[in-house]
Amino acid sequence: MLEQIKDTANRILSVFSTFSFADFLDIVMVAVIIYICVRIIRETRAMQLVRGIVFVIVLYGIVSLLGMEASEYMLNLVFSNIFIILVILFSPEIRSILEQVGHGASSKSIKSIIHPGVAMNITELSEAVEAVCRACSNMSDKKIGALICFENNTLLGNVIQTGTEIYGKISTSLVENIFYPKSPLHDGAMVIRDGTVYAAGCILPLTKKTVSSSLGTRHRAAIGLSEESDAVIVIVSEETGAISVAKGGVLRRNISDGDLRNILTTEFLSTGSSSDDKIITKFVRRIKK
């Protein structure tokens, strides 16, 4: 045992004996590149693809251990062309990375990439829910159309990029002003991130499934985004003033402002079996930003 410890220690020392400053810079550069890539793609659907790739890698390890030759052969075909597959799958993200690196000379761009974000304030989120409910009730009475996206665990960076970033403290008057018919941002969607109006005038993906002919573009866009993420989307119909909520590809129509408050409270403020489950989950998500 003692000899094995000595042998291991000697090997470690031999590695450090040849370790140079260039090696240190090499490690730091690789770490920075990986970190920046993760920071850029984390708010896109690419993160879901990354999780899928990790699952396939784990599956390949299990298949290899169990000696499942047919499955291992098929997975080998995939991994033999993995570089080409990754380039095809992540081509939009690769372009985004190169664009941000090109703009990286400005301190603002660098700061936006490495800034870790701040923890969610549960009081602010509670106030945001109340403000949105009041605004939706007022807009419903006036038949003013609105499309409001509450970001959940799936980050909506790709949606935010299509609109105008606001990053303003949410209030009833702000929501109503944005969706006022003569406002330049009223036709798009508003994205709320952790109790803050993060962006407005955003474009959402339309659902591809067949929906009722009575539903307009706002409802189709809300369903489309809810199919691709775990966001909760609130819709106020411009024609009828009815309030609806889309989540998980399902649309709940003609709900009251009280029902809306209950849905948003349950989704974002409900604590479940542990008094801090929801808060801790969102706190960790914000720290990862």
Side-chain angles (χ1 to χ4, degrees):
M1 176 65 75
L2 184 61
E3 290 297 326
Q4 291 179 348
I5 295 175
K6 287 182 178 180
D7 185 55
T8 302
N10 288 332
R11 289 182 181 179
I12 295 174
L13 289 174
S14 65
V15 171
F16 280 100
S17 64
T18 58
F19 190 80
S20 64
F21 183 69
D23 296 324
F24 173 76
L25 287 179
D26 191 22
I27 293 172
V28 171
M29 182 173 292
V30 170
V32 169
I33 291 174
I34 293 175
Y35 176 73
I36 291 176
C37 290
V38 172
R39 291 281 301 169
I40 291 174
I41 70 171
R42 67 185 174 82
E43 295 198 24
T44 68
R45 296 180 63 194
M47 284 304 295
Q48 299 177 17
L49 292 174
V50 170
R51 295 188 188 101
I53 292 172
V54 171
F55 173 77
V56 172
I57 293 173
V58 172
L59 181 63
Y60 180 74
I62 295 174
V63 166
S64 299
L65 288 175
L66 296 179
M68 301 166 64
E69 295 183 2
S71 299
E72 186 175 359
Y73 174 75
M74 293 178 63
L75 291 173
N76 276 330
L77 291 177
V78 174
F79 284 107
S80 63
N81 300 290
I82 190 64
F83 181 76
I84 298 175
I85 293 173
L86 289 177
V87 170
I88 294 173
L89 289 176
F90 294 102
S91 55
E93 285 69 33
I94 293 173
R95 179 177 178 178
S96 176
I97 290 171
L98 293 177
E99 287 176 350
Q100 291 209 31
V101 170
H103 292 296
S106 68
S107 60
K108 183 178 179 181
S109 298
I110 296 174
K111 185 177 180 180
S112 67
I113 292 176
I114 66 174
H115 193 275
V118 295
M120 177 205 66
N121 187 313
I122 200 67
T123 302
E124 291 180 359
L125 187 53
S126 178
E127 293 175 352
V129 168
E130 187 62 32
V132 168
C133 291
R134 289 197 301 267
C136 288
S137 178
N138 295 339
M139 290 187 292
S140 176
D141 294 337
K142 301 173 185 177
K143 292 186 179 181
I144 295 176
L147 187 57
I148 304 171
C149 309
F150 280 84
E151 185 184 66
N152 208 339
N153 292 316
T154 302
L155 299 177
L156 302 177
N158 55 334
V159 172
I160 290 172
Q161 289 175 1
T162 65
T164 301
E165 291 191 19
I166 296 177
Y167 201 72
K169 181 177 176 57
I170 193 166
S171 65
T172 300
S173 58
L174 176 60
V175 175
E176 292 185 41
N177 283 334
I178 288 176
F179 290 110
Y180 180 68
K182 294 185 179 180
S183 167
L185 300 176
H186 80 280
D187 272 337
M190 172 191 293
V191 175
I192 294 178
R193 170 180 286 177
D194 296 337
T196 300
V197 178
Y198 206 87
C202 301
I203 301 173
L204 306 187
L206 298 179
T207 181
K208 293 180 174 60
K209 69 181 183 181
T210 303
V211 297
S212 172
S213 59
S214 63
L215 298 178
T217 305
R218 284 190 179 90
H219 294 84
R220 290 175 57 83
I223 296 172
L225 181 62
S226 70
E227 290 171 338
E228 297 184 2
S229 70
D230 60 354
V232 178
I233 303 97
V234 181
I235 314 101
V236 179
S237 173
E238 189 173 357
E239 289 75 22
T240 65
I243 301 174
S244 304
V245 172
K247 184 179 186 299
V250 178
L251 182 69
R252 288 186 57 182
R253 303 176 63 183
N254 301 321
I255 64 175
S256 66
D257 58 328
D259 292 332
L260 175 61
R261 184 177 291 101
N262 291 336
I263 292 171
L264 296 178
T265 298
T266 301
E267 183 65 34
F268 297 102
L269 301 174
S270 177
T271 54
S273 57
S274 171
S275 60
D276 294 322
D277 282 349
K278 281 277 184 180
I279 301 175
I280 292 174
T281 298
K282 293 192 177 294
F283 178 85
V284 171
R285 184 170 71 87
R286 289 296 291 158
I287 289 298
K288 288 181 179 179
K289 291 181 179 181

mmCIF file of all heavy atoms in Angstrom, residues 59-76:
data_model
loop_
_atom_site.group_PDB
_atom_site.id
_atom_site.type_symbol
_atom_site.label_atom_id
_atom_site.label_comp_id
_atom_site.label_asym_id
_atom_site.label_seq_id
_atom_site.Cartn_x
_atom_site.Cartn_y
_atom_site.Cartn_z
ATOM 1 N N LEU A 59 -26.132 6.354 -22.296
ATOM 2 C CA LEU A 59 -26.704 5.138 -22.872
ATOM 3 C C LEU A 59 -25.633 4.298 -23.562
ATOM 4 O O LEU A 59 -25.630 3.062 -23.447
ATOM 5 C CB LEU A 59 -27.805 5.511 -23.870
ATOM 6 C CG LEU A 59 -28.534 4.348 -24.562
ATOM 7 C CD1 LEU A 59 -29.274 3.505 -23.542
ATOM 8 C CD2 LEU A 59 -29.492 4.874 -25.621
ATOM 9 N N TYR A 60 -24.718 4.957 -24.261
ATOM 10 C CA TYR A 60 -23.624 4.247 -24.928
ATOM 11 C C TYR A 60 -22.739 3.518 -23.923
ATOM 12 O O TYR A 60 -22.311 2.383 -24.159
ATOM 13 C CB TYR A 60 -22.794 5.237 -25.735
ATOM 14 C CG TYR A 60 -21.626 4.611 -26.459
ATOM 15 C CD1 TYR A 60 -21.826 3.827 -27.589
ATOM 16 C CD2 TYR A 60 -20.327 4.806 -26.003
ATOM 17 C CE1 TYR A 60 -20.755 3.246 -28.251
ATOM 18 C CE2 TYR A 60 -19.247 4.233 -26.668
ATOM 19 C CZ TYR A 60 -19.469 3.449 -27.778
ATOM 20 O OH TYR A 60 -18.406 2.864 -28.436
ATOM 21 N N GLY A 61 -22.474 4.170 -22.774
ATOM 22 C CA GLY A 61 -21.672 3.521 -21.738
ATOM 23 C C GLY A 61 -22.356 2.282 -21.183
ATOM 24 O O GLY A 61 -21.713 1.241 -20.974
ATOM 25 N N ILE A 62 -23.673 2.378 -20.959
ATOM 26 C CA ILE A 62 -24.427 1.229 -20.442
ATOM 27 C C ILE A 62 -24.431 0.093 -21.448
ATOM 28 O O ILE A 62 -24.241 -1.078 -21.103
ATOM 29 C CB ILE A 62 -25.873 1.663 -20.098
ATOM 30 C CG1 ILE A 62 -25.865 2.673 -18.948
ATOM 31 C CG2 ILE A 62 -26.720 0.447 -19.721
ATOM 32 C CD1 ILE A 62 -27.222 3.267 -18.640
ATOM 33 N N VAL A 63 -24.657 0.452 -22.727
ATOM 34 C CA VAL A 63 -24.687 -0.564 -23.788
ATOM 35 C C VAL A 63 -23.343 -1.276 -23.895
ATOM 36 O O VAL A 63 -23.270 -2.501 -24.069
ATOM 37 C CB VAL A 63 -25.068 0.102 -25.134
ATOM 38 C CG1 VAL A 63 -24.777 -0.827 -26.302
ATOM 39 C CG2 VAL A 63 -26.541 0.481 -25.132
ATOM 40 N N SER A 64 -22.250 -0.515 -23.773
ATOM 41 C CA SER A 64 -20.914 -1.112 -23.859
ATOM 42 C C SER A 64 -20.652 -2.050 -22.693
ATOM 43 O O SER A 64 -20.089 -3.142 -22.865
ATOM 44 C CB SER A 64 -19.856 -0.008 -23.895
ATOM 45 O OG SER A 64 -20.027 0.824 -25.029
ATOM 46 N N LEU A 65 -21.059 -1.639 -21.494
ATOM 47 C CA LEU A 65 -20.847 -2.479 -20.313
ATOM 48 C C LEU A 65 -21.629 -3.785 -20.399
ATOM 49 O O LEU A 65 -21.150 -4.843 -19.963
ATOM 50 C CB LEU A 65 -21.244 -1.713 -19.048
ATOM 51 C CG LEU A 65 -20.313 -0.583 -18.612
ATOM 52 C CD1 LEU A 65 -20.902 0.170 -17.424
ATOM 53 C CD2 LEU A 65 -18.933 -1.137 -18.244
ATOM 54 N N LEU A 66 -22.828 -3.729 -20.954
ATOM 55 C CA LEU A 66 -23.681 -4.918 -21.043
ATOM 56 C C LEU A 66 -23.368 -5.765 -22.273
ATOM 57 O O LEU A 66 -23.948 -6.858 -22.436
ATOM 58 C CB LEU A 66 -25.164 -4.501 -21.073
ATOM 59 C CG LEU A 66 -25.685 -3.794 -19.814
ATOM 60 C CD1 LEU A 66 -27.146 -3.410 -19.988
ATOM 61 C CD2 LEU A 66 -25.515 -4.697 -18.583
ATOM 62 N N GLY A 67 -22.466 -5.278 -23.137
ATOM 63 C CA GLY A 67 -22.081 -6.058 -24.311
ATOM 64 C C GLY A 67 -23.192 -6.215 -25.325
ATOM 65 O O GLY A 67 -23.287 -7.268 -25.987
ATOM 66 N N MET A 68 -24.032 -5.216 -25.486
ATOM 67 C CA MET A 68 -25.144 -5.268 -26.447
ATOM 68 C C MET A 68 -24.590 -4.845 -27.810
ATOM 69 O O MET A 68 -24.525 -3.655 -28.135
ATOM 70 C CB MET A 68 -26.275 -4.353 -25.979
ATOM 71 C CG MET A 68 -26.806 -4.731 -24.592
ATOM 72 S SD MET A 68 -27.859 -3.464 -23.832
ATOM 73 C CE MET A 68 -29.236 -3.426 -24.985
ATOM 74 N N GLU A 69 -24.178 -5.804 -28.610
ATOM 75 C CA GLU A 69 -23.410 -5.552 -29.823
ATOM 76 C C GLU A 69 -24.193 -4.770 -30.871
ATOM 77 O O GLU A 69 -23.655 -3.859 -31.509
ATOM 78 C CB GLU A 69 -22.922 -6.879 -30.414
ATOM 79 C CG GLU A 69 -21.933 -7.614 -29.504
ATOM 80 C CD GLU A 69 -21.410 -8.884 -30.151
ATOM 81 O OE1 GLU A 69 -21.802 -9.161 -31.310
ATOM 82 O OE2 GLU A 69 -20.618 -9.591 -29.503
ATOM 83 N N ALA A 70 -25.458 -5.119 -31.090
ATOM 84 C CA ALA A 70 -26.246 -4.429 -32.122
ATOM 85 C C ALA A 70 -26.432 -2.957 -31.778
ATOM 86 O O ALA A 70 -26.230 -2.066 -32.610
ATOM 87 C CB ALA A 70 -27.596 -5.111 -32.294
ATOM 88 N N SER A 71 -26.818 -2.699 -30.528
ATOM 89 C CA SER A 71 -27.014 -1.312 -30.090
ATOM 90 C C SER A 71 -25.700 -0.546 -30.104
ATOM 91 O O SER A 71 -25.649 0.628 -30.489
ATOM 92 C CB SER A 71 -27.628 -1.288 -28.688
ATOM 93 O OG SER A 71 -28.885 -1.927 -28.672
ATOM 94 N N GLU A 72 -24.621 -1.218 -29.703
ATOM 95 C CA GLU A 72 -23.310 -0.571 -29.674
ATOM 96 C C GLU A 72 -22.858 -0.209 -31.090
ATOM 97 O O GLU A 72 -22.274 0.849 -31.314
ATOM 98 C CB GLU A 72 -22.285 -1.489 -29.015
ATOM 99 C CG GLU A 72 -20.930 -0.844 -28.803
ATOM 100 C CD GLU A 72 -19.974 -1.732 -28.054
ATOM 101 O OE1 GLU A 72 -20.373 -2.863 -27.682
ATOM 102 O OE2 GLU A 72 -18.826 -1.308 -27.823
ATOM 103 N N TYR A 73 -23.177 -1.067 -32.051
ATOM 104 C CA TYR A 73 -22.811 -0.797 -33.449
ATOM 105 C C TYR A 73 -23.529 0.454 -33.958
ATOM 106 O O TYR A 73 -22.932 1.311 -34.611
ATOM 107 C CB TYR A 73 -23.158 -2.005 -34.320
ATOM 108 C CG TYR A 73 -22.940 -1.768 -35.793
ATOM 109 C CD1 TYR A 73 -21.653 -1.761 -36.337
ATOM 110 C CD2 TYR A 73 -24.021 -1.532 -36.642
ATOM 111 C CE1 TYR A 73 -21.449 -1.537 -37.682
ATOM 112 C CE2 TYR A 73 -23.828 -1.293 -37.992
ATOM 113 C CZ TYR A 73 -22.546 -1.299 -38.514
ATOM 114 O OH TYR A 73 -22.339 -1.062 -39.851
ATOM 115 N N MET A 74 -24.820 0.556 -33.652
ATOM 116 C CA MET A 74 -25.596 1.716 -34.096
ATOM 117 C C MET A 74 -25.074 3.001 -33.470
ATOM 118 O O MET A 74 -24.939 4.033 -34.127
ATOM 119 C CB MET A 74 -27.069 1.517 -33.751
ATOM 120 C CG MET A 74 -27.743 0.392 -34.521
ATOM 121 S SD MET A 74 -29.470 0.166 -34.046
ATOM 122 C CE MET A 74 -30.155 1.747 -34.533
ATOM 123 N N LEU A 75 -24.770 2.945 -32.172
ATOM 124 C CA LEU A 75 -24.259 4.137 -31.491
ATOM 125 C C LEU A 75 -22.861 4.496 -31.975
ATOM 126 O O LEU A 75 -22.496 5.673 -32.024
ATOM 127 C CB LEU A 75 -24.269 3.923 -29.980
ATOM 128 C CG LEU A 75 -25.664 3.866 -29.347
ATOM 129 C CD1 LEU A 75 -25.573 3.478 -27.874
ATOM 130 C CD2 LEU A 75 -26.382 5.201 -29.484
ATOM 131 N N ASN A 76 -22.081 3.502 -32.350
ATOM 132 C CA ASN A 76 -20.751 3.769 -32.900
ATOM 133 C C ASN A 76 -20.849 4.554 -34.205
ATOM 134 O O ASN A 76 -20.018 5.424 -34.486
ATOM 135 C CB ASN A 76 -19.993 2.462 -33.148
ATOM 136 C CG ASN A 76 -19.300 1.951 -31.888
ATOM 137 O OD1 ASN A 76 -18.905 2.746 -31.032
ATOM 138 N ND2 ASN A 76 -19.161 0.648 -31.764
#
